[in-house]
Amino acid sequence: MAELPVAPCVRILKKAGAQRVSEAAGKYFAEALEEIALEIAKKSVDLAKHAKRKTVKVEDVKTALRG
């Protein structure tokens, strides 16, 4: 089960051009986004740890997104 709310995910799909979004599609999209976000978060945390910090900074997230 996804931690992300489904409604904002449906809005993203509609913003991308979908006229209608099924409940199942919204839920699956939320789950997919969560998996992607978790990978970015893990990379960001690793970068902060490598820099001997406990705090994840915006630079960590930007670097994680690039690589």
Side-chain angles (χ1 to χ4, degrees):
M1 178 121 193
E3 297 274 336
L4 296 174
V6 175
C9 295
V10 170
R11 285 195 296 272
I12 291 169
L13 288 165
K14 286 186 176 183
K15 191 174 183 179
Q19 290 183 355
R20 295 173 60 180
V21 179
S22 71
E23 184 177 335
K27 286 180 182 179
Y28 190 78
F29 189 74
E31 290 172 4
L33 282 179
E34 188 172 329
E35 286 180 27
I36 293 165
L38 186 57
E39 287 303 313
I40 295 167
K42 286 178 181 179
K43 289 177 185 177
S44 301
V45 169
D46 288 344
L47 289 164
K49 285 181 180 178
H50 180 74
K52 307 277 193 263
R53 289 185 274 107
K54 293 181 180 180
T55 304
V56 175
K57 295 188 175 186
V58 68
E59 295 84 17
D60 301 323
V61 178
K62 287 180 180 180
T63 302
L65 283 168
R66 280 188 238 135

